[in-house]
Amino acid sequence: MTRPRLTLLLSVPLGMIWMAGAAMAASDAVPPAVDETNPAVAAGPEDSPNAPEKLPPAARKNPYESPVQERVDTTRPTFDGRTITVNAGGNLQAAINSSNPGDVIELEPGAVFTGTFVLPVKDNPDSKWVLIRTAGTQPPEGQRIDPAVHSASMAVIQANDRKDTPAIRTASGANHYRFENLTIRAHQDPEEFRYRVYNLIELSPGKEVTAATQTLEHAPHHIVFDRVYVYGNKKIGTRRGFAFNGRHLAVINSYVTEIKERGADSQAICGWMGPGPFKIENNFLAGAGENIMFGGGNARIENLVPSDIEIVRNHIYKPLSWREGDPAYEGTKWVVKNLLELKSGQRVLIEGNTFENHWGGQGQGGFSILFTPRSSRGRNPWVVVQDVLFQHNTMKNVAQGISILGDDNNNPNDTPTNNIVIHNNLFEDLGAFDSRAYWLIWLRESFHTTISNNSVHFTSPEQKHGISLSNNRPKVGQFTQATHVRFVDNVIEYQHYGFKGNALKVGTETLVSNFPHLDMSGNFFLQKPGDTRNLADLYPTDSSFTNNTFVEAGESFDPGDAGVDMELLLQKQQNHRGE
């Protein structure tokens, strides 16, 4: 039986792909064996003429299986200890300090507790949890909270007005805390709130730990926020909702908003010096800079890369009230960048999310999703973006789509981007805020990219770009190509340029120069009205480009198994709005 597919409108064009620099030929040759008995080879620096040649990254055996190896278990535990009640005016920190693993701390509904509440380490040989929640009736488990319905009865944990003081902070190694049915917010009084909060909830090693002394034992771990309402200062902003710098950390079924800043990036959730695993599931997340980001800051532990990250069934959103010139604009120019960025991350599942509203700005080209390895000032040369599965997502009302950067062109990193899979996604209203709309852009060398079963719809037939494969000219020795790309079974509205590389002709020249070992097959390219070119003449006739169909404007067609499987996509997104 043919799977349900989305049939795109034929009156709108295809997206272009743009790739990095034109030119170094790649080789399939196996590097010569290294003679470890030769000291000049075994011990030589990497820029030595005797340094061993690096093998390219290997392909994953099944690109459509989740790459996540270790998962955060968010199953609600049992609590067999005391119930500690804290009423309005009570001492919440004292209750936290005196609690034992297995205890429940219940806060009076509607009470406000102001300060920085520190989660200490407790003797916990049985790995029991401490639960902190609002007393009384609880929101349904497994459903995202709705502030309009639930917040009035929630107890409030509020940051104070001192500089760089979060509402919640972990001591080094703090573990096994769970928060439920709470509001956690920045101080809201603009007269009293003199300083901006950097990390509203800071899950990081304690302040006493320095870059020279930090180890994995300092990382907080096994901390879950479930059905919480988190928001920053509505007037002056808050830099970050959650600093995610630990192990086994999760935010689920929650609502995070008003995370925004002038003059600096802000994130609803950001992690840069924790090993993972992490779970971000079934949340509403509104952040101005990057809604979610991993990497960006330097890890203090050598070779640490945030790993085993699950980002599933979230609504990742930027309100139009933050967009200058929009009728809803509220008048403050917040720094707006991307919806999701991985600057350092591996074994990442991004599934069943809705990404909505993105217009770029502040030095950004408007790309919604970035897979871009970056090391701050080159201090973490081991940063990498690899083994990422981006599937069953919807992206709508955005300026541009996805950017894949092969390596850090500012501060070279050790391993190029590899094993990125973009599968069964719906892109609609692409180019909503930018006539230059790109669906994909490749920059510099990457390995083993799979682009399959996506449906791509642009806002306007006047869009000029689409799928781009270009960048500035590479320096000697820098990466230039996207090697082993599978581009199969997609349904895409064909923009003016289609597949275009920098200083290269559309089609064959771009693909041959920039895509060694290409498999492009089974795709449907929908020609825009008024385009009288024979598009098939622009593309290769060899085995790298087979069974692709160019559909003229107004012509009916049956995509078969190409394009997005809507039934599967909706199934994976189930409950992401709290249904």
Side-chain angles (χ1 to χ4, degrees), residues 63-64 350 369-371 388-393 395 401-404 419-427 439-442 448-456 486-490:
Y64 301 119
I350 306 165
I369 310 294
L370 283 83
F371 302 130
V388 178
L389 177 54
F390 183 93
Q391 67 176 359
H392 313 314
N393 302 289
M395 184 182 295
I402 298 176
S403 175
I404 301 172
N419 287 287
I420 306 295
V421 178
I422 301 170
H423 174 66
N424 203 64
N425 302 286
L426 171 62
F427 299 81
W439 171 40
L440 293 173
I441 183 167
W442 268 277
H448 306 296
T449 307
T450 298
I451 314 290
S452 60
N453 291 101
N454 300 286
S455 292
V456 184
R486 290 185 67 248
F487 193 96
V488 299
D489 296 329
N490 301 287

Side-chain angles (χ1 to χ4, degrees), residues 27-318:
S27 171
D28 260 351
V30 177
V34 176
D35 181 3
E36 296 184 354
T37 65
N38 182 345
V41 173
E46 294 209 0
D47 58 357
S48 162
N50 293 319
E53 183 178 349
K54 289 184 178 180
L55 288 167
R60 293 182 61 226
K61 290 183 178 179
N62 186 345
Y64 301 119
E65 285 186 354
S66 172
V68 174
Q69 295 178 3
E70 184 178 11
R71 289 177 165 81
V72 181
D73 183 0
T74 54
T75 305
R76 196 171 189 277
T78 57
F79 299 92
D80 56 4
R82 303 169 297 164
T83 296
I84 302 170
T85 301
V86 185
N87 292 318
N91 192 329
L92 175 56
Q93 186 65 65
I96 294 171
N97 293 345
S98 66
S99 66
N100 296 315
D103 287 350
V104 176
I105 299 173
E106 292 197 330
L107 310 184
E108 181 182 346
V112 178
F113 301 88
T114 301
T116 293
F117 299 97
V118 179
L119 308 181
V121 179
K122 297 182 180 291
D123 184 23
N124 191 14
D126 298 322
S127 298
K128 294 184 177 181
W129 294 72
V130 172
L131 172 63
I132 303 173
R133 69 178 183 184
T134 299
T137 303
Q138 304 299 310
E141 287 189 43
Q143 292 188 17
R144 181 186 309 164
I145 59 129
D146 180 348
V149 175
H150 300 112
S151 63
S153 62
M154 288 178 170
V156 177
I157 297 176
Q158 175 176 264
N160 61 33
D161 65 341
R162 298 191 206 107
K163 188 175 183 179
D164 191 21
T165 52
I168 295 170
R169 171 181 281 161
T170 51
S172 292
N175 62 89
H176 288 88
Y177 286 92
R178 189 178 181 102
F179 293 81
E180 294 179 357
N181 188 23
L182 293 164
T183 292
I184 304 168
R185 71 186 189 194
H187 203 295
Q188 297 300 301
D189 188 335
E191 299 302 321
E192 294 184 28
F193 196 91
R194 298 188 298 269
Y195 298 103
R196 181 180 297 107
V197 173
Y198 289 156
N199 301 312
L200 187 51
I201 299 168
E202 190 171 289
L203 309 180
S204 301
K207 289 294 186 182
E208 77 284 358
V209 178
T210 66
T213 62
Q214 185 173 327
T215 69
L216 289 177
E217 296 303 313
H218 292 114
H221 60 94
H222 291 88
I223 300 176
V224 175
F225 288 79
D226 179 10
R227 291 164 290 161
V228 296
Y229 176 33
V230 176
Y231 62 95
N233 184 281
K234 296 179 180 181
K235 183 176 178 64
I236 68 170
T238 296
R239 179 168 295 179
R240 196 167 291 119
F242 289 84
F244 245 34
N245 295 316
R247 301 182 286 126
H248 290 271
L249 305 181
V251 179
I252 59 175
N253 308 314
S254 296
Y255 196 104
V256 183
T257 191
E258 300 292 354
I259 307 300
K260 55 195 181 183
E261 187 164 348
R262 290 170 291 183
D265 288 14
S266 55
Q267 302 90 24
I269 299 176
C270 183
W272 61 96
M273 59 179 181
F278 305 103
K279 179 181 284 188
I280 302 168
E281 182 175 10
N282 195 35
N283 305 289
F284 176 91
L285 302 171
E290 301 84 9
N291 296 49
I292 301 174
M293 184 166 77
F294 283 91
N298 284 318
R300 293 175 172 180
I301 299 174
E302 188 173 2
N303 296 320
L304 187 149
V305 174
S307 305
D308 298 311
I309 303 167
E310 292 181 288
I311 302 171
V312 296
R313 296 190 299 116
N314 302 284
H315 188 185
I316 298 170
Y317 179 84
K318 294 189 190 297

Side-chain angles (χ1 to χ4, degrees), residues 399-472:
Q400 307 204 59
I402 298 176
S403 175
I404 301 172
L405 177 68
D407 71 323
D408 186 346
N409 55 302
N410 296 321
N411 301 288
N413 57 308
D414 297 335
T415 305
T417 299
N418 66 90
N419 287 287
I420 306 295
V421 178
I422 301 170
H423 174 66
N424 203 64
N425 302 286
L426 171 62
F427 299 81
E428 53 183 345
D429 292 331
L430 191 60
F433 304 103
D434 195 333
S435 64
R436 304 167 302 158
Y438 295 102
W439 171 40
L440 293 173
I441 183 167
W442 268 277
L443 306 169
R444 307 165 68 81
E445 183 178 55
S446 58
F447 290 85
H448 306 296
T449 307
T450 298
I451 314 290
S452 60
N453 291 101
N454 300 286
S455 292
V456 184
H457 171 75
F458 285 77
T459 300
S460 165
E462 302 305 317
Q463 247 100 45
K464 300 298 184 186
H465 296 186
I467 304 173
S468 174
L469 317 168
S470 185
N471 193 18
N472 298 325

Side-chain angles (χ1 to χ4, degrees), residues 530-542:
D531 188 348
T532 60
R533 295 173 295 172
N534 187 344
L535 296 178
D537 289 346
L538 302 176
Y539 287 89
T541 57
D542 62 17

Side-chain angles (χ1 to χ4, degrees), residues 324-346:
E324 193 173 9
D326 194 277
Y329 184 55
E330 293 179 345
T332 302
K333 192 171 183 177
W334 309 108
V335 172
V336 173
K337 288 193 173 179
N338 319 108
L339 290 167
L340 184 151
E341 182 169 11
L342 297 181
K343 291 187 175 181
S344 184
Q346 62 184 354

